[in-house]
Amino acid sequence: MTRVFLHGFGQRYDLPGPLFLYLFAAAGVVVLSFVVVVLFAGDELGAKAVDYPRRRVAWLDGLAAARWPRTAGGVVGVLGLAAVVSTGLFGSQKPFYNPAEYLVWVYFWAALVILGGLLGNLWALFNPWTALAGWLRLPAERKPNRLARFGLWPAVVTYFLFACLELASGVANRPAVIGWLALAYTAFTLGGMAWAGRRAWLEQVECFAVLFGIIARFAPLETEADRRGRVLVHLRIWGTGLLRGEKAGWDQVVFVVLMLSSLAFDGLLATPVYRWWLLSFGGLFGVFGLLGPLGIPALRTVGLATLTAVFLGAFVLVMRFVMWCGWPQVGSPFGRWKGVDAPRALSAFAFTLVPIALVYNAAHNYTYVVVQSQGLIPLLADPFQKGWHLLPTAGYKVSFLLAGAAVVWYVQIVLIVLGHVIAVYLAHLRAGERFKNAAHVLLSQYPMLLLMVLYTMTSLWILAQPITKEA
Amino acid sequence: MTRNRVLLLAAVLAIFFGVGAYLIFQGVGGGGQAVSIDLTVSGHSMAPTNPGAVSNDYPPSTVVVKQGDRVTMTIRADQPEEVHLHGYDIAFAVPGVNGKVTHTFTADKTGSFPMEIEETSTPLGQFVVTP
């Protein structure tokens, strides 16, 4: 008998959305998609298309350049890491009574991602390993970069392993495991930074730095250094930062697709579809049964990898039609592309899917963040469950005030529809930048629209599924 | 020109969210009834003794009430054990063989709350409170 611990740990009390709501939101998504495309079709072409408006906020310049926010953030991050390791190893081994579980899965993994998208790159501020590496005076850079030829692939691997820990391993709810892994990842990261330099390691291996970096491109705060090296802060509209031209390659595309697939997999685990997968394939490949206690983790790992492959395949297939419609010179949609750098084209459009992933993440984790996060409050009085009375919070009762089902449903459809509209708009601007004339831009957006509608429908569908427990 | 189109999009979105809010919140309320639910646990399963109050659309058993209902829940079991209602954190400690225990509470939180045999974490069903 195993319990489903979603998002690593914790119980979900969400009430699945009713059918009428699902149909209403789905219809809205389709209608709004066409409204966006028709209203803004082929508005601007070339570099002007992705030149989004932004506003200077000079009063934040000083804060961005100052050292103290980084020092303070680093101290908070290191204290958080120390709390995770110490309570994980020495606290109660019941997950609901251990702060490590709340800190890692609720505060860091669910809440910080949402806040990162709403505000800016908070992880850059709180990353405990950046702070530790700074205090240990590890080299900032090594020349030549020892990781140069690996691109973002090491981060793809570390992120996949983390997703497996959260969703497949079944041990994410064991505080001691969390404590040991936090310690091991600390050693791995600091050792890696010493070997390859802090910067390369953060940009290519430390998957959280990479992930929060991508999320921060969605966020409204933008910093930029001028010619004299002064840091300038700008405000932009949510999502527009994803239009900035940055690195391109298969590694970037796979990382973004993995973001989408790991989130969807987390949602799928709670639905009857997962039971179906478990029942049909668990038996089909008898090998999973032979693995004993490792059977379920192995099956889930295969499930996550399969879903990632399916998402990647769908994206590449749709992109073939996008390119064929928008840039007919490439030849047939199934042949080799002529005169186009495929990884560049794929990367440019992959990032326009990020808003859909982020809003789904926020909608999916909304109740978790507003309810489960409060579970930490009574534990502050006695973090190691040793009978201490550090703070008068022991009797705190979790409030469901913000988690009424009607409110949750409304928050979910607002988030999902807004994210979808942002994504459709971004893809449209991106097409304007890449393709030659307005007719091609318009045409190229239909395959992309299909993919985005499918993805958003899947998100809505998962949120409307009855939540089952594994028996 | 662009400004007008942005305003138009904003207006369409506002209408959509307005209709969505109406659809969601018009069905809310209507709780406050007195509901009594009798459940019998035998082995690993839980069955309703008064089937009218319980829907069995998808297993395990699902008990559906409205937010605000006064719920009187009686649980019988073939052996002494503790049935836990999560979220509401109510423990139904069945005293002996074929014993029963009753708790009365207000279903003030919406959601889908698992019920299980505490000792073995055996899932018995869901207690669903709709808004």
Side-chain angles (χ1 to χ4, degrees), chain A residues 1 3 11-15 20-21 24-25 28 32 36 39-40 43 400 403-406 409-410 414 417-418 466 469, chain B residues 5 8-9 12-13 16-17 19-21 23-25 28 58 86-87 109-114 116 123 128-131:
Chain A
M1 188 67 51
R3 257 187 181 182
Q11 284 264 317
R12 253 178 91 165
Y13 301 132
D14 286 10
L15 198 55
F20 77 84
L21 195 60
F24 170 74
L32 282 163
V36 173
L39 276 182
F40 298 98
D43 216 12
F400 281 68
W409 292 336
Y410 193 58
V414 167
V417 169
L418 272 183
K469 296 195 91 192
Chain B
R5 280 179 280 181
L8 196 57
L9 178 65
V12 175
L13 275 172
F16 176 80
F17 292 138
V19 174
L23 282 175
I24 291 173
F25 291 98
V28 169
Y58 46 92
H86 283 274
K109 297 181 276 247
T110 56
S112 178
F113 303 96
E116 59 185 24
V128 171
V129 184
T130 63

Side-chain angles (χ1 to χ4, degrees), chain A residues 395-413:
Chain A
Y396 179 82
K397 285 267 180 287
V398 171
S399 157
F400 281 68
L401 194 67
L402 291 170
V407 175
V408 174
W409 292 336
Y410 193 58
V411 169
Q412 287 179 334
I413 67 158

Side-chain angles (χ1 to χ4, degrees), chain A residues 195-347:
Chain A
W195 177 72
R198 280 180 282 169
R199 196 174 147 169
W201 197 264
L202 283 174
E203 285 177 359
Q204 294 175 258
V205 191
E206 213 280 275
C207 57
F208 306 118
V210 173
L211 179 86
F212 280 96
I214 292 174
I215 292 167
R217 290 177 59 182
F218 177 87
L221 278 176
E222 180 175 307
T223 54
E224 176 181 75
D226 71 358
R227 256 180 250 149
R228 283 178 294 162
R230 267 191 329 148
V231 181
L232 305 178
V233 181
H234 297 271
L235 269 184
R236 62 192 178 201
I237 300 166
W238 281 281
T240 47
L242 292 161
L243 292 170
R244 290 172 73 110
E246 282 183 30
K247 284 176 198 138
W250 276 105
D251 46 351
Q252 306 275 337
V253 176
V254 172
F255 196 93
V256 171
V257 169
L258 194 57
M259 275 172 73
L260 307 183
S261 65
S262 58
L263 276 168
F265 192 66
D266 187 11
L268 277 175
L269 281 183
T271 68
V273 170
Y274 169 70
R275 270 168 94 106
W276 166 81
W277 154 270
L278 197 69
L279 290 175
S280 31
F281 293 95
L284 192 66
F285 307 124
V287 57
F288 292 112
L290 297 177
L291 290 170
L294 290 177
I296 299 250
L299 186 69
R300 286 187 174 191
T301 305
V302 172
L304 178 58
T306 310
L307 194 68
T308 309
V310 169
F311 276 29
L312 187 64
F315 175 66
V316 172
L317 182 69
V318 166
M319 275 306 297
R320 289 197 150 265
F321 283 94
V322 169
M323 290 304 288
W324 180 56
C325 295
W327 194 261
Q329 297 92 315
V330 295
S332 110
F334 300 105
R336 266 184 73 87
W337 287 354
K338 294 186 201 103
V340 174
D341 182 352
R344 279 190 70 83
L346 289 170
S347 309

Side-chain angles (χ1 to χ4, degrees), chain A residues 29-361:
Chain A
V29 161
V30 174
V31 171
L32 282 163
S33 302
F34 283 95
V35 169
V36 173
V37 166
V38 171
L39 276 182
F40 298 98
D43 216 12
E44 305 272 8
L45 294 171
K48 255 178 92 182
V50 291
D51 187 18
Y52 54 87
R54 45 182 204 171
R55 175 164 294 179
R56 280 273 292 131
V57 266
W59 58 274
L60 278 175
D61 289 357
L63 203 62
R67 280 177 70 96
W68 69 264
R70 253 165 258 267
T71 310
V75 168
V76 171
V78 171
L79 286 177
L81 178 66
V84 167
V85 172
S86 59
T87 60
L89 295 180
F90 305 113
S92 162
Q93 290 306 303
K94 288 185 179 160
F96 289 97
Y97 297 99
N98 196 308
E101 297 285 341
Y102 292 89
L103 289 173
V104 170
W105 299 118
V106 185
Y107 285 85
F108 164 67
W109 192 232
L112 202 61
V113 167
I114 296 174
L115 287 177
L118 281 176
L119 301 173
N121 197 343
L122 297 171
W123 185 240
L125 214 55
F126 293 126
N127 190 336
W129 301 297
T130 314
L132 286 172
W135 298 339
L136 292 171
R137 300 191 185 284
L138 298 182
E141 243 168 318
R142 278 193 193 277
K143 284 192 177 148
N145 178 5
R146 290 171 164 171
L147 291 164
R149 65 203 166 92
F150 297 110
L152 206 56
W153 292 115
V156 170
V157 173
T158 49
Y159 183 69
F160 184 78
L161 290 176
F162 179 76
C164 287
L165 166 73
E166 183 201 6
L167 305 170
S169 71
V171 295
N173 61 335
R174 296 199 192 152
V177 172
I178 297 300
W180 279 115
L181 285 176
L183 214 51
Y185 191 72
T186 303
F188 172 70
T189 305
L190 293 179
M193 285 172 165
W195 177 72
R198 280 180 282 169
R199 196 174 147 169
W201 197 264
L202 283 174
E203 285 177 359
Q204 294 175 258
V205 191
E206 213 280 275
C207 57
F208 306 118
V210 173
L211 179 86
F212 280 96
I214 292 174
I215 292 167
R217 290 177 59 182
F218 177 87
L221 278 176
E222 180 175 307
T223 54
E224 176 181 75
D226 71 358
R227 256 180 250 149
R228 283 178 294 162
R230 267 191 329 148
V231 181
L232 305 178
V233 181
H234 297 271
L235 269 184
R236 62 192 178 201
I237 300 166
W238 281 281
T240 47
L242 292 161
L243 292 170
R244 290 172 73 110
E246 282 183 30
K247 284 176 198 138
W250 276 105
D251 46 351
Q252 306 275 337
V253 176
V254 172
F255 196 93
V256 171
V257 169
L258 194 57
M259 275 172 73
L260 307 183
S261 65
S262 58
L263 276 168
F265 192 66
D266 187 11
L268 277 175
L269 281 183
T271 68
V273 170
Y274 169 70
R275 270 168 94 106
W276 166 81
W277 154 270
L278 197 69
L279 290 175
S280 31
F281 293 95
L284 192 66
F285 307 124
V287 57
F288 292 112
L290 297 177
L291 290 170
L294 290 177
I296 299 250
L299 186 69
R300 286 187 174 191
T301 305
V302 172
L304 178 58
T306 310
L307 194 68
T308 309
V310 169
F311 276 29
L312 187 64
F315 175 66
V316 172
L317 182 69
V318 166
M319 275 306 297
R320 289 197 150 265
F321 283 94
V322 169
M323 290 304 288
W324 180 56
C325 295
W327 194 261
Q329 297 92 315
V330 295
S332 110
F334 300 105
R336 266 184 73 87
W337 287 354
K338 294 186 201 103
V340 174
D341 182 352
R344 279 190 70 83
L346 289 170
S347 309
F349 282 95
F351 284 96
T352 64
L353 294 171
V354 168
I356 296 182
L358 286 183
V359 292
Y360 171 66
N361 180 39

